[in-house]
mmCIF file of all heavy atoms in Angstrom:
data_model
loop_
_atom_site.group_PDB
_atom_site.id
_atom_site.type_symbol
_atom_site.label_atom_id
_atom_site.label_comp_id
_atom_site.label_asym_id
_atom_site.label_seq_id
_atom_site.Cartn_x
_atom_site.Cartn_y
_atom_site.Cartn_z
ATOM 1 N N LEU D 17 -153.699 219.491 -113.883
ATOM 2 C CA LEU D 17 -152.746 219.859 -112.857
ATOM 3 C C LEU D 17 -151.374 219.821 -113.525
ATOM 4 O O LEU D 17 -150.538 220.718 -113.227
ATOM 5 C CB LEU D 17 -152.775 218.870 -111.669
ATOM 6 C CG LEU D 17 -151.733 219.011 -110.605
ATOM 7 C CD1 LEU D 17 -151.903 220.446 -109.976
ATOM 8 C CD2 LEU D 17 -151.943 217.961 -109.516
ATOM 9 N N PHE D 18 -151.085 218.846 -114.347
ATOM 10 C CA PHE D 18 -149.805 218.697 -115.018
ATOM 11 C C PHE D 18 -149.539 219.969 -115.868
ATOM 12 O O PHE D 18 -148.410 220.514 -115.863
ATOM 13 C CB PHE D 18 -149.774 217.397 -115.862
ATOM 14 C CG PHE D 18 -148.482 217.216 -116.614
ATOM 15 C CD1 PHE D 18 -147.481 216.518 -115.958
ATOM 16 C CD2 PHE D 18 -148.328 217.485 -117.936
ATOM 17 C CE1 PHE D 18 -146.277 216.257 -116.620
ATOM 18 C CE2 PHE D 18 -147.155 217.293 -118.607
ATOM 19 C CZ PHE D 18 -146.096 216.584 -117.887
ATOM 20 N N ILE D 19 -150.578 220.389 -116.617
ATOM 21 C CA ILE D 19 -150.431 221.575 -117.487
ATOM 22 C C ILE D 19 -150.204 222.806 -116.648
ATOM 23 O O ILE D 19 -149.335 223.654 -116.995
ATOM 24 C CB ILE D 19 -151.580 221.740 -118.395
ATOM 25 C CG1 ILE D 19 -151.713 220.566 -119.365
ATOM 26 C CG2 ILE D 19 -151.590 223.061 -119.107
ATOM 27 C CD1 ILE D 19 -152.957 220.545 -120.155
ATOM 28 N N LEU D 20 -150.820 222.897 -115.492
ATOM 29 C CA LEU D 20 -150.667 224.058 -114.653
ATOM 30 C C LEU D 20 -149.305 224.123 -114.088
ATOM 31 O O LEU D 20 -148.653 225.253 -113.975
ATOM 32 C CB LEU D 20 -151.694 224.046 -113.542
ATOM 33 C CG LEU D 20 -153.169 224.463 -113.930
ATOM 34 C CD1 LEU D 20 -154.050 224.144 -112.761
ATOM 35 C CD2 LEU D 20 -153.321 225.808 -114.376
ATOM 36 N N VAL D 21 -148.713 222.939 -113.803
ATOM 37 C CA VAL D 21 -147.328 222.946 -113.324
ATOM 38 C C VAL D 21 -146.392 223.474 -114.441
ATOM 39 O O VAL D 21 -145.438 224.234 -114.167
ATOM 40 C CB VAL D 21 -146.919 221.496 -112.832
ATOM 41 C CG1 VAL D 21 -145.438 221.420 -112.583
ATOM 42 C CG2 VAL D 21 -147.683 221.139 -111.574
ATOM 43 N N VAL D 22 -146.589 222.962 -115.657
ATOM 44 C CA VAL D 22 -145.801 223.383 -116.737
ATOM 45 C C VAL D 22 -145.829 224.904 -116.982
ATOM 46 O O VAL D 22 -144.834 225.566 -117.195
ATOM 47 C CB VAL D 22 -146.133 222.630 -118.030
ATOM 48 C CG1 VAL D 22 -145.468 223.214 -119.252
ATOM 49 C CG2 VAL D 22 -145.856 221.200 -117.962
ATOM 50 N N LEU D 23 -147.085 225.431 -116.960
ATOM 51 C CA LEU D 23 -147.282 226.842 -117.178
ATOM 52 C C LEU D 23 -146.617 227.639 -116.010
ATOM 53 O O LEU D 23 -146.082 228.756 -116.197
ATOM 54 C CB LEU D 23 -148.774 227.178 -117.281
ATOM 55 C CG LEU D 23 -149.431 226.689 -118.544
ATOM 56 C CD1 LEU D 23 -150.900 227.009 -118.563
ATOM 57 C CD2 LEU D 23 -148.783 227.152 -119.798
ATOM 58 N N GLY D 24 -146.649 227.032 -114.840
ATOM 59 C CA GLY D 24 -145.944 227.687 -113.697
ATOM 60 C C GLY D 24 -144.486 227.731 -113.911
ATOM 61 O O GLY D 24 -143.831 228.702 -113.636
ATOM 62 N N CYS D 25 -143.945 226.663 -114.509
ATOM 63 C CA CYS D 25 -142.510 226.626 -114.856
ATOM 64 C C CYS D 25 -142.216 227.708 -115.923
ATOM 65 O O CYS D 25 -141.165 228.428 -115.811
ATOM 66 C CB CYS D 25 -142.184 225.264 -115.509
ATOM 67 S SG CYS D 25 -142.210 223.935 -114.310
ATOM 68 N N ALA D 26 -143.188 227.960 -116.788
ATOM 69 C CA ALA D 26 -142.884 228.952 -117.848
ATOM 70 C C ALA D 26 -142.824 230.353 -117.223
ATOM 71 O O ALA D 26 -142.112 231.220 -117.745
ATOM 72 C CB ALA D 26 -144.021 228.867 -118.905
ATOM 73 N N ALA D 27 -143.630 230.524 -116.214
ATOM 74 C CA ALA D 27 -143.666 231.851 -115.592
ATOM 75 C C ALA D 27 -142.359 232.246 -114.869
ATOM 76 O O ALA D 27 -142.034 233.406 -114.710
ATOM 77 C CB ALA D 27 -144.848 231.995 -114.609
ATOM 78 N N VAL D 28 -141.639 231.192 -114.440
ATOM 79 C CA VAL D 28 -140.377 231.488 -113.730
ATOM 80 C C VAL D 28 -139.144 231.128 -114.501
ATOM 81 O O VAL D 28 -138.019 231.207 -114.031
ATOM 82 C CB VAL D 28 -140.345 230.705 -112.379
ATOM 83 C CG1 VAL D 28 -141.527 231.111 -111.498
ATOM 84 C CG2 VAL D 28 -140.386 229.202 -112.607
ATOM 85 N N ALA D 29 -139.341 230.751 -115.810
ATOM 86 C CA ALA D 29 -138.208 230.252 -116.568
ATOM 87 C C ALA D 29 -137.121 231.420 -116.756
ATOM 88 O O ALA D 29 -137.485 232.486 -117.198
ATOM 89 C CB ALA D 29 -138.646 229.785 -117.938
ATOM 90 N N THR D 30 -135.888 231.204 -116.381
ATOM 91 C CA THR D 30 -134.842 232.168 -116.642
ATOM 92 C C THR D 30 -133.525 231.450 -116.907
ATOM 93 O O THR D 30 -133.440 230.259 -116.691
ATOM 94 C CB THR D 30 -134.651 232.988 -115.320
ATOM 95 O OG1 THR D 30 -134.276 232.129 -114.231
ATOM 96 C CG2 THR D 30 -135.854 233.809 -114.951
ATOM 97 N N GLY D 31 -132.547 232.208 -117.383
ATOM 98 C CA GLY D 31 -131.157 231.708 -117.564
ATOM 99 C C GLY D 31 -131.101 230.839 -118.804
ATOM 100 O O GLY D 31 -131.936 230.773 -119.651
ATOM 101 N N ALA D 32 -129.958 230.063 -118.745
ATOM 102 C CA ALA D 32 -129.663 229.261 -119.946
ATOM 103 C C ALA D 32 -130.640 228.173 -120.285
ATOM 104 O O ALA D 32 -130.697 227.763 -121.397
ATOM 105 C CB ALA D 32 -128.294 228.617 -119.748
ATOM 106 N N THR D 33 -131.360 227.644 -119.334
ATOM 107 C CA THR D 33 -132.306 226.598 -119.556
ATOM 108 C C THR D 33 -133.512 227.159 -120.147
ATOM 109 O O THR D 33 -134.472 226.337 -120.529
ATOM 110 C CB THR D 33 -132.610 225.800 -118.255
ATOM 111 O OG1 THR D 33 -133.214 226.741 -117.350
ATOM 112 C CG2 THR D 33 -131.409 225.169 -117.699
ATOM 113 N N ALA D 34 -133.769 228.482 -120.271
ATOM 114 C CA ALA D 34 -135.040 228.977 -120.723
ATOM 115 C C ALA D 34 -134.703 230.164 -121.657
ATOM 116 O O ALA D 34 -134.803 231.362 -121.264
ATOM 117 C CB ALA D 34 -135.876 229.456 -119.614
ATOM 118 N N PRO D 35 -134.362 229.886 -122.949
ATOM 119 C CA PRO D 35 -134.101 231.004 -123.849
ATOM 120 C C PRO D 35 -135.235 231.943 -124.018
ATOM 121 O O PRO D 35 -136.379 231.539 -123.961
ATOM 122 C CB PRO D 35 -133.740 230.278 -125.159
ATOM 123 C CG PRO D 35 -133.462 228.887 -124.820
ATOM 124 C CD PRO D 35 -134.295 228.575 -123.559
ATOM 125 N N ALA D 36 -134.901 233.224 -124.188
ATOM 126 C CA ALA D 36 -135.962 234.218 -124.311
ATOM 127 C C ALA D 36 -136.691 234.035 -125.643
ATOM 128 O O ALA D 36 -136.064 233.542 -126.632
ATOM 129 C CB ALA D 36 -135.364 235.612 -124.292
ATOM 130 N N GLY D 37 -137.986 234.295 -125.683
ATOM 131 C CA GLY D 37 -138.710 234.288 -126.934
ATOM 132 C C GLY D 37 -139.505 233.069 -127.206
ATOM 133 O O GLY D 37 -140.074 232.914 -128.279
ATOM 134 N N PHE D 38 -139.558 232.106 -126.313
ATOM 135 C CA PHE D 38 -140.322 230.861 -126.529
ATOM 136 C C PHE D 38 -141.772 231.229 -126.573
ATOM 137 O O PHE D 38 -142.264 232.078 -125.798
ATOM 138 C CB PHE D 38 -140.082 229.909 -125.408
ATOM 139 C CG PHE D 38 -139.039 228.839 -125.831
ATOM 140 C CD1 PHE D 38 -137.764 229.194 -125.986
ATOM 141 C CD2 PHE D 38 -139.426 227.459 -125.911
ATOM 142 C CE1 PHE D 38 -136.796 228.213 -126.363
ATOM 143 C CE2 PHE D 38 -138.418 226.532 -126.225
ATOM 144 C CZ PHE D 38 -137.119 226.859 -126.408
ATOM 145 N N LYS D 39 -142.568 230.560 -127.461
ATOM 146 C CA LYS D 39 -144.034 230.745 -127.472
ATOM 147 C C LYS D 39 -144.640 229.738 -126.655
ATOM 148 O O LYS D 39 -145.848 229.889 -126.185
ATOM 149 C CB LYS D 39 -144.452 230.588 -129.008
ATOM 150 C CG LYS D 39 -143.809 231.558 -129.951
ATOM 151 C CD LYS D 39 -144.193 232.986 -129.556
ATOM 152 C CE LYS D 39 -143.597 233.909 -130.678
ATOM 153 N NZ LYS D 39 -143.855 235.330 -130.350
ATOM 154 N N ALA D 40 -144.066 228.523 -126.421
ATOM 155 C CA ALA D 40 -144.611 227.437 -125.568
ATOM 156 C C ALA D 40 -144.260 227.671 -124.141
ATOM 157 O O ALA D 40 -143.297 228.339 -123.832
ATOM 158 C CB ALA D 40 -144.044 226.150 -126.091
ATOM 159 N N GLY D 41 -144.987 226.986 -123.233
ATOM 160 C CA GLY D 41 -144.689 227.003 -121.848
ATOM 161 C C GLY D 41 -143.446 226.090 -121.628
ATOM 162 O O GLY D 41 -143.345 225.003 -122.093
ATOM 163 N N GLN D 42 -142.517 226.658 -120.871
ATOM 164 C CA GLN D 42 -141.249 225.960 -120.670
ATOM 165 C C GLN D 42 -141.033 225.192 -119.399
ATOM 166 O O GLN D 42 -141.678 225.563 -118.407
ATOM 167 C CB GLN D 42 -140.123 227.021 -120.760
ATOM 168 C CG GLN D 42 -140.049 227.757 -122.160
ATOM 169 C CD GLN D 42 -139.093 228.947 -122.035
ATOM 170 O OE1 GLN D 42 -137.916 228.730 -121.783
ATOM 171 N NE2 GLN D 42 -139.685 230.102 -122.318
ATOM 172 N N PHE D 43 -140.258 224.137 -119.443
ATOM 173 C CA PHE D 43 -139.851 223.415 -118.235
ATOM 174 C C PHE D 43 -138.544 224.043 -117.694
ATOM 175 O O PHE D 43 -137.582 224.084 -118.435
ATOM 176 C CB PHE D 43 -139.593 221.944 -118.540
ATOM 177 C CG PHE D 43 -140.866 221.182 -118.695
ATOM 178 C CD1 PHE D 43 -141.656 221.247 -119.898
ATOM 179 C CD2 PHE D 43 -141.281 220.235 -117.739
ATOM 180 C CE1 PHE D 43 -142.810 220.537 -120.049
ATOM 181 C CE2 PHE D 43 -142.477 219.521 -117.897
ATOM 182 C CZ PHE D 43 -143.189 219.653 -119.021
ATOM 183 N N ASP D 44 -138.564 224.475 -116.423
ATOM 184 C CA ASP D 44 -137.355 224.992 -115.900
ATOM 185 C C ASP D 44 -137.285 224.444 -114.435
ATOM 186 O O ASP D 44 -138.051 224.910 -113.542
ATOM 187 C CB ASP D 44 -137.322 226.488 -115.856
ATOM 188 C CG ASP D 44 -136.043 227.092 -115.354
ATOM 189 O OD1 ASP D 44 -135.011 226.364 -115.436
ATOM 190 O OD2 ASP D 44 -136.019 228.235 -114.887
ATOM 191 N N PRO D 45 -136.378 223.518 -114.109
ATOM 192 C CA PRO D 45 -135.392 222.990 -115.133
ATOM 193 C C PRO D 45 -135.990 221.985 -116.092
ATOM 194 O O PRO D 45 -137.116 221.424 -115.798
ATOM 195 C CB PRO D 45 -134.336 222.238 -114.130
ATOM 196 C CG PRO D 45 -135.218 221.811 -112.956
ATOM 197 C CD PRO D 45 -136.222 222.899 -112.818
ATOM 198 N N PRO D 46 -135.300 221.787 -117.178
ATOM 199 C CA PRO D 46 -135.809 220.755 -118.111
ATOM 200 C C PRO D 46 -135.975 219.355 -117.486
ATOM 201 O O PRO D 46 -135.222 219.079 -116.562
ATOM 202 C CB PRO D 46 -134.754 220.768 -119.214
ATOM 203 C CG PRO D 46 -134.125 222.025 -119.095
ATOM 204 C CD PRO D 46 -134.109 222.359 -117.650
ATOM 205 N N ARG D 47 -136.918 218.604 -118.013
ATOM 206 C CA ARG D 47 -137.102 217.240 -117.436
ATOM 207 C C ARG D 47 -136.738 216.207 -118.521
ATOM 208 O O ARG D 47 -137.049 216.392 -119.714
ATOM 209 C CB ARG D 47 -138.620 217.147 -117.199
ATOM 210 C CG ARG D 47 -139.106 215.751 -116.869
ATOM 211 C CD ARG D 47 -140.578 215.669 -116.892
ATOM 212 N NE ARG D 47 -141.150 214.305 -116.822
ATOM 213 C CZ ARG D 47 -142.373 214.011 -117.133
ATOM 214 N NH1 ARG D 47 -143.250 214.876 -117.586
ATOM 215 N NH2 ARG D 47 -142.795 212.739 -117.074
ATOM 216 N N GLN D 48 -136.028 215.152 -118.118
ATOM 217 C CA GLN D 48 -135.596 214.078 -119.042
ATOM 218 C C GLN D 48 -136.866 213.419 -119.599
ATOM 219 O O GLN D 48 -137.762 213.054 -118.812
ATOM 220 C CB GLN D 48 -134.725 213.138 -118.382
ATOM 221 C CG GLN D 48 -133.944 212.282 -119.397
ATOM 222 C CD GLN D 48 -132.931 213.019 -120.244
ATOM 223 O OE1 GLN D 48 -132.321 213.984 -119.747
ATOM 224 N NE2 GLN D 48 -132.791 212.567 -121.475
ATOM 225 N N ALA D 49 -136.935 213.305 -120.901
ATOM 226 C CA ALA D 49 -138.102 212.631 -121.538
ATOM 227 C C ALA D 49 -138.057 211.186 -121.219
ATOM 228 O O ALA D 49 -137.043 210.545 -121.474
ATOM 229 C CB ALA D 49 -138.058 212.916 -123.025
ATOM 230 N N PRO D 50 -139.151 210.618 -120.621
ATOM 231 C CA PRO D 50 -139.129 209.161 -120.381
ATOM 232 C C PRO D 50 -138.940 208.400 -121.703
ATOM 233 O O PRO D 50 -139.563 208.635 -122.680
ATOM 234 C CB PRO D 50 -140.542 208.967 -119.858
ATOM 235 C CG PRO D 50 -140.971 210.287 -119.256
ATOM 236 C CD PRO D 50 -140.298 211.293 -120.176
ATOM 237 N N ASP D 51 -138.094 207.312 -121.678
ATOM 238 C CA ASP D 51 -137.811 206.499 -122.805
ATOM 239 C C ASP D 51 -138.944 205.509 -122.937
ATOM 240 O O ASP D 51 -139.594 205.162 -122.045
ATOM 241 C CB ASP D 51 -136.431 205.834 -122.692
ATOM 242 C CG ASP D 51 -135.943 205.430 -124.055
ATOM 243 O OD1 ASP D 51 -136.513 205.758 -125.114
ATOM 244 O OD2 ASP D 51 -134.881 204.737 -124.064
#
Side-chain angles (χ1 to χ4, degrees):
L17 178 60
F18 184 82
I19 293 172
L20 287 172
V21 169
V22 172
L23 294 178
C25 292
V28 300
T30 57
T33 60
F38 264 63
K39 303 298 184 181
Q42 299 168 59
F43 283 75
D44 185 25
R47 169 191 170 198
Q48 196 66 34
D51 201 8

